[in-house]
Amino acid sequence: MTFLEAPQSIDEMRRYCNEVPGWKMANMLARGETPSLSPKELEEMGFSVAAYPFDIMCTIIESVQRKLEDLKVPDKPPALPSVETVNKLWELSGFKQYEEEQAQYGCADYKKEKAENQQQ
């Protein structure tokens, strides 16, 4: 796989794709020097892989900043994330599998018993 550093025009990108054999990667930096093109346009041009790293990181930063602003409001609880988002976090973090294994091996019952014994 090859990579052309910061092409500055669509013509330069086309020439690269036409003249260089093999797989090619387009690194699409948000607000960078390379023209912003869609994955479909890049594929049609001859790119095999398209990366949009700043887009993903910028989205994360914007989301975190919004949540932090939300948490600054002292007289109301923060907005809750969607059920889908919480479920996805539970799945991606491994908590869902952990909880299923706890139930499978009876760990939840053990923890309940231990808590009851400590109260006595």
Side-chain angles (χ1 to χ4, degrees):
M1 181 175 303
T2 60
F3 164 72
L4 178 64
E5 179 66 33
Q8 297 183 12
S9 71
I10 292 175
D11 288 338
E12 186 179 1
M13 296 168 77
R14 278 199 184 102
R15 181 173 169 218
Y16 164 67
C17 287
N18 290 333
E19 294 180 10
V20 176
W23 289 38
K24 291 166 268 309
M25 183 181 99
N27 192 23
M28 308 304 294
L29 294 180
R31 309 263 182 224
E33 295 178 17
T34 303
S36 182
L37 301 172
S38 71
K40 183 178 180 181
E41 290 171 308
L42 292 167
E43 181 181 18
E44 288 171 354
M45 194 177 289
F47 287 94
S48 310
V49 175
Y52 294 84
F54 281 11
D55 294 64
I56 293 167
M57 290 187 286
C58 289
T59 300
I60 292 166
I61 290 168
E62 290 169 352
S63 180
V64 168
Q65 287 175 329
R66 279 193 307 274
K67 180 49 76 176
L68 290 172
E69 287 300 315
D70 188 29
L71 291 169
K72 282 183 183 178
V73 179
D75 57 345
K76 73 171 190 141
L80 295 174
S82 70
V83 171
E84 293 83 11
T85 300
V86 172
N87 288 341
K88 192 63 166 177
L89 172 64
W90 207 249
E91 180 183 331
L92 291 173
S93 65
F95 288 139
K96 182 178 179 184
Q97 181 180 353
Y98 175 76
E99 193 174 60
E100 290 168 357
E101 289 175 3
Q102 267 191 321
Q104 178 183 354
Y105 296 110
C107 295
D109 292 338
Y110 169 76
K111 286 182 177 180
K112 185 178 175 183
E113 271 182 43
K114 186 177 177 183
E116 287 172 357
N117 289 337
Q118 286 177 344
Q119 290 176 355
Q120 295 175 356

